[in-house]
Amino acid sequence: MKKAKLVRKNMDDIRGVIGTLSIEDVQVCYTLERPWQNNSPEVSCIPKGFYLCKRIVSPKFGTTFEITKVIDRTHVLFHSGNSIQDTHGCVLLGFQYNDTQEELIISKSRVAHEAFMKLLEGVDEFTLSIV
């Protein structure tokens, strides 16, 4: 089974969390998540830990992966978007980010999500560690 790792690097209690996502120790892209708000659905990033991610077809985002078995949470997905307003508690993927005083922005998100899915072509599940 493939292994992925999300390393949270730039954590801001208001603007969000920038991280990096690696698959099999190869950095794939940057991530953007909401700030920690006690794991509250749609307003918080999820807790650090180990998860199983499963391929799904989302009505809104199409084929992607869901981070499963998150305590008190469902439908935590990897998808495209540019700001924490787009996350709804999910993990956004992008190839670039911009750290302004007002907000964290991630860009080239659709391309990054497509690359992420291509790397996981033929894979239905993988493990994810968030540190």
Side-chain angles (χ1 to χ4, degrees):
M1 182 174 292
K2 288 208 181 251
K3 295 179 182 179
K5 186 175 190 177
L6 193 162
V7 178
R8 292 175 174 157
K9 296 185 177 225
N10 182 351
M11 299 182 76
D12 185 293
D13 291 341
I14 296 170
R15 298 178 307 141
V17 181
I18 291 287
T20 57
L21 180 67
S22 300
I23 298 175
E24 300 295 333
D25 296 322
V26 176
Q27 184 173 322
V28 175
C29 59
Y30 292 104
T31 61
L32 177 62
E33 300 173 86
R34 286 193 171 255
W36 177 251
Q37 298 292 324
N38 296 315
N39 197 34
S40 297
E42 298 195 22
V43 296
S44 176
C45 60
I46 64 175
K48 295 175 186 175
F50 294 91
Y51 301 95
L52 180 66
C53 298
K54 295 183 178 184
R55 181 181 293 271
I56 65 156
V57 178
S58 161
K60 185 172 182 178
F61 300 107
T63 303
T64 192
F65 282 87
E66 178 180 11
I67 304 170
T68 66
K69 300 185 181 185
V70 179
I71 296 172
D72 297 327
R73 301 278 292 274
T74 59
H75 307 301
V76 180
L77 308 177
F78 289 98
H79 62 83
S80 59
N82 300 110
S83 69
I84 62 168
Q85 288 78 22
D86 299 329
T87 69
H88 305 288
C90 296
V91 178
L92 302 182
L93 305 176
F95 280 141
Q96 296 176 334
Y97 75 91
N98 190 9
D99 184 350
T100 72
Q101 283 187 317
E102 294 81 33
E103 63 182 338
L104 297 170
I105 298 290
I106 202 162
S107 59
K108 298 190 178 183
S109 188
R110 285 192 181 124
V111 177
H113 186 266
E114 289 170 9
F116 167 75
M117 293 305 294
K118 185 148 182 84
L119 280 171
L120 294 167
E121 193 169 6
V123 173
D124 290 326
E125 297 180 343
F126 65 89
T127 59
L128 173 68
S129 64
I130 300 177
V131 295

